[in-house]
Every structure is written in C-alpha cells, then in structure tokens.
C-alpha cells in the first residue's frame, strides 16, 4: 500500500504543478493582451521603437500560447484513436478463457 500512496502523492503534485503552470500561462497571455491594447496608440519613434518591440513581443506570447493550446487540443483528440489498436491488442492477449486456462468440462 505504501507504493500506491507514493504514486498518488506524485500524481497529486504533478497535477498541482500543471495547474500552477496553466495559471502562469493564463496570466502571461492576459497581461500580454492588456499590454498590447494599452500601447497600441503610442507615438512611434521609428525603426528602433521600444514600445513597438514590446507590442511585438506581447503578440508573439499570445500567438505561442494559442499554438500550445491548439497542440494540446489536437493531442487530446488523437490519443484515443492512437491507443485503440494497442488497447484492443492488450485485451486480446490478456483474455483468460476456459480454453486458454485448460479447464476441462467433465459431464
């Protein structure tokens, strides 16, 4: 039973870590949206404008977060289809029937 408790605590800590990372990603995207919206109408100084660089960085954070979310969604949708043949094979290989167990029917 001690092994299961250790596994459960590792799973719980992994889930907590994933939740913290998801919250940090949400805060980063939200703050990038606010930054890009607040600085959109600035007085641009030309090619080396620091504010334009900040806006470009904020837009890149938003785009990368969208691609991460899209990749996660695609992965979540494809995993069940990818695992179906593996699960079917495992069920067929592990099926215990009276014939595979060598049980004799004595009448």
């Amino acid at each position: 039973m001690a092994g299961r408790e250790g596994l459960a605590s590792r799973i719980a800590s992994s889930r907590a870590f994933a939740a913290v990372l998801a919250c940090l990603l949400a805060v980063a995207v939200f703050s990038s949206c606010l930054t890009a919206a607040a600085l959109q109408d600035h007085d641009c100084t030309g090619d080396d404008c620091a504010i334009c660089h900040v806006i470009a960085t904020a837009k890149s954070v938003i785009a990368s977060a969208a691609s991460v979310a899209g990749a996660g969604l695609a992965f979540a949708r494809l995993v069940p289809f990818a695992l179906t043949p593996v699960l079917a094979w495992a069920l067929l290989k592990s099926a215990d029937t009276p014939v595979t167990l060598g049980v004799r029917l004595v009448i």
Side-chain angles (χ1 to χ4, degrees):
M1 287 292 175
R4 288 185 183 208
E5 292 172 1
L7 179 63
S9 67
R10 281 187 284 165
I11 290 173
S13 65
S14 295
R15 287 182 181 170
F17 184 68
V20 168
L21 285 180
C23 289
L24 288 175
L25 179 64
V27 167
V29 169
F30 185 68
S31 65
S32 294
C33 288
L34 290 178
T35 301
L39 299 176
Q40 195 66 32
D41 297 323
H42 69 283
D43 294 326
C44 190
T45 59
D47 290 337
D48 294 329
C49 181
I51 296 175
C52 287
H53 179 68
V54 169
I55 292 172
T57 304
K59 287 181 179 179
S60 121
V61 167
I62 294 168
S64 66
S67 68
V68 166
L73 182 62
F75 180 76
R77 288 184 178 233
L78 291 178
V79 165
F81 296 112
L83 291 180
T84 300
V86 174
L87 292 176
W89 179 80
L91 286 173
L92 289 175
K93 293 299 278 185
S94 66
D96 289 331
T97 65
V99 174
T100 59
L101 295 175
V103 176
R104 293 181 59 191
L105 180 61
V106 180
I107 301 180

